[in-house]
Each structure stands twice: as structure tokens, then as C-alpha cells.
Amino acid sequence: MFAKLLIANRGEIAVRIIHACHAMGIAAVVVYSEADRRALHVRMADEALPIGPAPAPESYLRIEAIIEAALRAGAQAIHPGYGFLSERAAFSRACRDAGLAFVGPPPEAIEALGDKIAARRLALATGVPVAPGYHGADQSDETLLREATRIGYPLLIKASAGGGGRGMRIVTNADELMPALESARREARAAFGDDTVFLEKLIARPRHIEVQFLADAYGNAVHLFERECSIQRRYQKIVEESPSPALTPKQREMIGEAAVRLARAAGYVNAGTAEFLYDETDGSFAFLEVNARLQVEHPVTEAVTGVDLVQLQIAIAGGARLPFRQEDVQQRGHAIEVRLCAEDPVTFLPAGGRLTRFDLPDDIRCDSGFETGDEVTLYYDSLLAKLIVHADDRSVAIAKLRTALDACTVEGVTTNLPLLRAIAAHPAFAAGETTTDFLTTHQVAARLPAPAPLPDEVVLAAAIADVLALPFGRAAARDPWSALGPWRLLRADMPLRYRDGERERCVRVTECASEWRVEIDGTTCTVGVLATHPDHLIVRTTDGRIERFGIARDGAGLRVEWQGKRFYLSHATLDVEHLGVRGHSHSRAGLEAPMPGTIVRILVNEGDRVAAHQPLVVLEAMKMEHIVAAPHDGIILRLPYAVGALVAKGATLVEMEEG
């Protein structure tokens, strides 16, 4: 067995592999980017080596840097985790060439199955049914348009090297094909370095069923039953369970055998997952793809089989045989996993920030790469933690899940916790009605509780900071006027407006001798500013209380920390009359960054005349793209940022004049 293993990943999966290594008596080495130098996986590892700047292409996707780090550390093996380089045949081959064991399949198997187009061809050759589609080598726009017409709409564009929903688009008609194709290729190229795509007929309201399999280097292969992963957003799973509430024992046996047949045909070694769509209307299966790596949801299988998949991965990579036969593997009870992510629970837009409080239940399994005080960066995936429950039957497992979610407390970063709670409480989930359109069919977002309004104290602090034009936080190190943008023009008697969810808060601040008169939505109070610092503001309220507010500028808004909680306030549209600006008001609706991220494409130029709904800027964060479109016809006045710029939430991406 290996004495030292390098983990070519980060976050939750790196922590999971560290635990497995230590349980096996193996020293764990990790690599880290500049953004992760204080991350949990770095703190937990026996050794940590830097590999480059924050962007993944300059760090976690650099094969030569990772191989060099492994050799320098004296590691004998590399575990790729999931994502990043885990399904790159070139990485598996580079490890082999360097004399390092790759904890995953050989490059030949990755090429046969990890590429989704090659996997579809192999499935057809081995008698595994696939959905109608096109997976040819000709990637020209003309060919794809012709094949899309042959397949019929609606259909899916999928990245051949993709995973996690990246590079995937639904197309409902021919007019949507070219824009969707361009977007899918761009996202796939950025995420995987390969923009090859294929087309697939869209199956209405299917279930997403996948089968975990293991194979050793001696020809032995088994499946470890199925997981149902139908509840998804943006084609990414958020709830997984085993066994599927929909399958019969006969169907379970049939789909498991199909997965093993594929693995054997590809000469597969190590852990992999075969994914299928199940149509309940006729009981048919259609092969989707093989994930030639460990899956995010592997704890579900571990819970119902009692098998440690990561330890088995490492053992197989070290030359061990499978320690059991197919008849030795059994499903016991029911397991459910949910993914706690840093994202808006309604829009699914990613979120970042510092976790001021991160409390997970201690009576169930929780896999996480974060602790209280850690920074959630927008360079990588939004996953914060996985909560896994296991019980004798599904109803008890759901009850445990609800209790576990209620015990979670996350502050400082927006998460999908309200959505997970709503799913767990939904009667359709309890009934096992879990098709891939679950969230939209059952309008789960409509069941989410309305967020609490911002406290008046927080709005007050933000208004005083704006009126004083204080260069808080990072802006203190720069020119405060350029940092504040148009807010440097504020006068103490002008109204300020802040967005509070769907509401707008109106504030008027007036200086009165040594105090400030603050009117918030018609209610007036008097405060005294006792002190201002680079990162906080101290005020005395009317009743004599002294309050401290941490404040940092964040694009076009402010982050305010008060009484242990973090709040974000974005500015509503300026009242141009108070700024002495003549002419028309420039509507900015929809032209601000809905999330922090990187500008990956600008589709217009200053001076261009654009139509309503025309795409203007493409923003990327946590591996997902968001298109900022024109809210109305108009003329582009200014494009403040260039391609590659990292922008904050609320930053103005486009200034345009209506008409």
C-alpha cells in the first residue's frame, strides 16, 4: 500500500479523501491555489503545496504542476477526486508515465467511457439502450442544425467532456439552437478544455437513475445498486437517495447488469457510475453517460452497502482485488443525501463571502470542506456540505432529514438551506414523486418563507456610511472616489434608496450640529457618529445604545455586519434630479451583476443600438454562466469592465439609454 498520496482537488472531496488516507495509515498531501491557502483541506493535510493563482486553469487544472508537486512530495499515488482533472485521460496517462498510481480508471477506459460520445457508441455496441440523438465527429453548425431537425425538438445539447450540468442546454426550437450551441461550447471549453458537443432527444419528466460500480485489474466487476438523483436545478443534483422508490427488484437487477456490462467492455478499473434516464410511462431506460470517477453522492451508496468507496478506490489502485462478489453486496435500509450550496435558493445564482457561523448537525454524517470563519470563494463549485441520513425505511429517513436540516445554521453566506427544507417537507417528496422537473412541477420555490426585512439599524448604518463617503474595507486602500462611483456626489439632504429583496427602503439623512437625523421609510431617529475606522462604524442611538457595524463596500452596494450577522444592501436607481444631471434617466434595470463573478464575454460595443432582451454580457461564477440582457430597446453608453474582470454583486456591467 502507498505510504503517501497526493490529492489533486480541494474542498469537501479533498477532506473526504484525507479521512480515508488517515484511516488506512497513508500520509495525505494536498495542493492549493492562492485562493485556498487557508482552506480546511490545507489545514487538515499532512503536507500542502501551492500550485498557482486562484483561477482553476492556472492551478487545479495544471497537470504538469500537480505531477511535479506529487514527485516533490514523494507521493506514490494521486487521487483526483471529482471535477477538475478527474476524467481527463491525459491526466491518468501523465500519472502513469511519471510512475505514479492514478486512483481512478486507466486512460484507455476514460477515453472509452469518460467521453460521452464514445460512451454512447460503446453502449450501443453492448446492447444498452440510448436516447435518440447525434454523436458524430462532424461538429459544424450546419451538421448540428440538420441533425437537430432530424431528432426533433425539444432536445438537449451536451458537452462530450461535461459533467455537473456544465455545457448543457435545453433547446425548444430551431431559433434557439445556435445561441444555445455557442453558450454550451463556451462553457464546456472553460470548464473542461473541450468544446465538443452532442445532441440528445429530451425525454419528458424522466427519473434520473445511476448505478455505482467497482472493478479491479483482474477482471472482477460488481455493481453496488442504484441511486436516484432526480431532484435537480440547472441539471445539477441537489437530492440523492438509495434505493430508488420507483424501481422493482427486476428493474434494479437489469440496470445493474447493464452498468457492469459497460464497465467490462471498456476494460474499466476502479470506481465509476453509469447514469440512465427512466421513463415511468413505459418502464424503459435510456443510457446517459458514465462518470469515470467518484461521484459527489457516493456517501448514499456507502450508507446502504456499508462499503467505503474511497478506501476501496485506493486499495484497487494499489493492486488489490475486489474483496467481495456480486452476491455479497446488499442494500440495507434507505439513505438520502442533500447538497448544501452557497447560492440563492430561488434563482440558484451562486453566492460568496465569509461563513460567520456554520453549524451542522453532529448526529448524522456531514461531509464538508468548510468551517466557521472560512471564506467561500467564487472561483470554484458552490458546494458547502453534504448531509447524509440513513434509516431502516424511507419515511424514517425523511423524518431524520427534516430534523437535520432544521438543526443547520449558516450565517454570512446565502445558501439553499430554505429550498432543501421545503423539498424535505413537500408531500410529493414523501410520496416518492421525484422526477427531474420536481422543483418546477411542484413550485417548491413558492413554498419558501419570505426573507426577513433588513433591520432598520443596518439600513441606518449603510446610509451614514454613504453620506460620509467613507472608504470602508478594501476601498480604503484605493482612491475612495473611484471606489464609490456616483455615490461620491451624495449630499446629506438627498434621499437614498436600497433594495431589500423585492422591497425598496428609502432613507434621508440630515446633519444636525454634532448629530445626524435619519428618516427611514417615514420613521425618524437621531444618532451620533462616535468613530469611523477602515472596517467599521460606531454610532450612539437615540436611547443611548452604542452600536458597532462592520462595513465593506461590495461593488455597487455594501456588506454590513451587525450583532454577529452579515447583510448585503444594493443601491436602487439614483434620483438624477438630486445629482444635478440633465437629460433622461438611464434605466439600469437588469444591468447589474446578479452575483459576483468573472466577465467571460461582452457581446456589444459602446454606441451600439440594441433591442429588448438582447444578450449584452456573459458573467461566470462557480462554473455557471449568467447572461445579462437588455431590459428595453436603447443605446449602449458605457461598458465599465473588460473581459476577464472579476466583478462584485451589484456592479454595473452596462450603462444604456432607453429608446
Side-chain angles (χ1 to χ4, degrees):
M1 190 47 61
F2 312 116
K4 185 180 287 189
L5 179 146
L6 183 135
I7 302 165
N9 218 296
R10 63 175 301 279
E12 172 271 326
I13 186 56
V15 171
R16 168 72 181 94
I17 298 168
I18 290 170
H19 285 307
C21 287
H22 289 170
M24 301 175 74
I26 300 171
V29 182
V30 300
V31 291
Y32 64 90
S33 71
E34 290 177 4
D36 278 339
R37 63 173 57 252
R38 296 180 181 85
L40 180 60
H41 74 281
V42 174
R43 303 196 300 267
M44 288 183 58
D46 299 292
E47 187 176 346
L49 300 172
I51 53 169
E58 301 175 40
S59 52
Y60 294 107
L61 292 174
R62 291 179 59 208
I63 292 177
E64 68 284 354
I66 292 172
I67 296 293
E68 180 186 350
L71 296 174
R72 189 164 72 248
Q76 296 88 42
I78 293 181
H79 197 308
Y82 48 72
F84 292 135
L85 295 170
S86 60
E87 293 183 274
R88 300 280 184 91
F91 187 41
S92 176
R93 185 171 284 110
C95 289
R96 185 168 65 188
D97 293 345
L100 298 165
F102 180 73
V103 185
E108 295 79 11
I110 296 177
E111 289 165 344
L113 285 176
D115 180 284
K116 293 174 175 55
I117 292 177
R120 282 173 59 89
R121 292 171 179 157
L122 185 62
L124 288 169
T126 54
V128 177
V130 300
Y134 171 74
H135 53 269
D138 186 346
Q139 292 282 299
S140 67
D141 292 351
E142 295 77 13
T143 297
L144 292 173
L145 180 60
R146 183 177 64 252
E147 290 298 321
T149 302
R150 177 185 63 81
I151 297 166
Y153 298 95
L155 56 78
L156 282 169
I157 299 173
K158 290 186 174 182
S160 178
R166 293 181 293 279
M168 186 183 298
R169 300 290 186 274
I170 291 179
V171 181
T172 60
N173 57 64
D175 292 338
E176 296 176 359
L177 183 66
M178 287 300 110
L181 180 61
E182 181 183 359
S183 178
R185 284 170 168 165
R186 183 172 57 250
E187 191 172 80
R189 187 164 53 247
F192 312 108
D194 183 351
D195 62 2
T196 305
V197 299
F198 65 99
L199 308 180
E200 188 176 271
K201 181 67 177 176
L202 183 67
I203 300 175
R205 305 196 71 230
R207 288 179 182 261
H208 190 137
I209 309 291
E210 62 186 29
V211 179
Q212 177 73 62
F213 61 82
L214 282 170
D216 62 24
Y218 308 98
N220 304 305
V222 299
H223 69 79
L224 284 80
F225 303 102
E226 87 286 0
R227 299 182 290 256
E228 174 156 343
C229 312
S230 299
I231 300 182
Q232 306 174 4
R233 90 289 186 249
R234 287 190 167 184
Y235 316 115
Q236 290 185 316
K237 307 159 190 172
I238 51 175
V239 181
E240 302 99 357
E241 60 182 309
S242 181
S244 165
L247 297 191
T248 65
K250 180 67 175 176
Q251 290 171 323
R252 184 168 291 115
E253 180 182 0
M254 179 187 70
I255 195 172
E257 289 177 350
V260 171
R261 194 160 66 245
L262 273 170
R264 291 185 188 278
Y268 201 95
V269 177
N270 217 271
T273 299
E275 301 197 354
F276 300 83
L277 289 182
Y278 172 56
D279 190 342
E280 284 188 283
T281 60
D282 58 8
S284 63
F285 289 92
F287 170 72
L288 277 177
E289 63 189 31
V290 169
N291 293 127
R293 54 171 169 79
L294 189 70
Q295 290 277 84
V296 177
E297 58 272 22
H298 73 273
V300 170
T301 295
E302 293 181 329
V304 296
T305 62
V307 170
D308 189 309
L309 287 170
V310 179
Q311 290 192 35
L312 275 174
Q313 276 194 295
I314 297 171
I316 290 171
R321 293 177 178 270
L322 280 175
F324 43 74
R325 298 170 298 176
Q326 187 64 65
E327 55 267 30
D328 299 323
V329 186
Q330 297 181 2
Q331 284 176 309
R332 297 181 177 86
H334 198 97
I336 306 174
E337 173 186 291
V338 295
R339 303 188 192 186
L340 179 62
C341 299
E343 64 186 27
D344 185 279
V346 176
T347 65
F348 311 129
L349 293 177
R354 187 173 300 279
L355 290 164
T356 55
R357 186 176 177 186
F358 191 56
D359 295 340
L360 302 178
D362 56 10
D363 57 347
I364 64 165
R365 176 175 173 178
C366 296
D367 288 7
S368 178
F370 295 89
E371 293 179 332
T372 296
D374 286 348
E375 188 77 20
V376 180
T377 174
L378 290 156
Y379 285 104
Y380 314 115
D381 191 84
S382 63
L383 181 65
L384 296 177
K386 303 182 303 195
L387 280 65
I388 305 99
V389 296
H390 182 240
D392 291 339
D393 60 51
R394 189 171 186 269
S395 61
V396 178
I398 291 175
K400 289 182 68 173
L401 177 62
R402 292 171 180 169
T403 300
L405 290 170
D406 287 341
C408 291
T409 302
V410 184
E411 295 176 358
V413 175
T414 301
T415 74
N416 65 340
L417 186 55
L419 178 66
L420 298 178
R421 288 170 175 161
I423 293 171
H426 203 289
F429 178 64
E433 300 171 5
T434 52
T435 50
T436 54
D437 61 351
F438 181 91
L439 294 182
T440 54
T441 297
H442 300 290
Q443 297 183 323
V444 178
R447 302 170 66 95
L448 301 184
L454 289 169
D456 286 351
E457 292 87 347
V458 171
V459 180
L460 178 151
I464 291 176
D466 272 332
V467 169
L468 292 177
L470 297 174
F472 284 106
R474 294 180 182 176
R478 308 194 301 267
D479 170 19
W481 304 127
S482 62
L484 297 179
W487 300 99
R488 67 183 181 270
L489 301 174
L490 292 176
R491 296 204 307 265
D493 61 342
M494 80 164 284
L496 303 172
R497 292 184 175 89
Y498 300 94
R499 292 196 185 97
D500 184 0
E502 297 299 320
R503 298 177 292 273
E504 189 173 287
R505 309 294 297 274
C506 183
V507 188
R508 188 182 292 272
V509 181
T510 306
E511 187 175 9
C512 303
S514 61
E515 294 184 319
W516 294 85
R517 182 176 178 271
V518 183
E519 180 184 322
I520 303 176
D521 299 331
T523 301
T524 303
C525 65
T526 303
V527 300
V529 178
L530 301 183
T532 61
H533 295 272
D535 61 355
H536 68 272
L537 172 72
I538 299 176
V539 304
R540 183 185 64 251
T541 61
T542 305
D543 58 5
R545 288 181 295 114
I546 296 177
E547 298 278 9
R548 182 187 186 280
F549 300 89
I551 301 180
R553 302 226 173 251
D554 189 351
L558 300 97
R559 284 185 285 113
V560 179
E561 292 187 7
W562 178 63
Q563 295 188 353
K565 295 183 179 180
R566 175 178 289 190
F567 306 88
Y568 177 80
L569 296 86
S570 60
H571 294 110
T573 305
L574 287 173
D575 186 338
V576 295
E577 292 182 3
H578 285 82
L579 294 179
V581 178
R582 296 181 179 180
H584 297 291
S585 168
H586 299 155
S587 171
R588 296 169 61 213
L591 303 184
E592 296 176 351
M595 57 189 179
T598 302
I599 295 177
V600 295
R601 195 167 185 205
I602 298 175
L603 306 172
V604 292
N605 298 307
E606 293 180 358
D608 284 357
R609 185 174 294 278
V610 297
H613 312 302
Q614 179 177 334
L616 307 177
V617 173
V618 181
L619 187 68
E620 181 184 74
M622 291 183 173
K623 304 180 183 178
M624 301 301 294
E625 283 192 355
H626 179 81
I627 296 175
V628 176
H632 46 64
D633 295 350
I635 298 173
I636 303 300
L637 298 176
R638 183 168 172 261
L639 297 165
Y641 299 98
V643 172
L646 182 65
V647 299
K649 177 181 178 181
T652 299
L653 304 181
V654 182
E655 293 179 12
M656 64 178 290
E657 183 175 36
E658 187 173 0

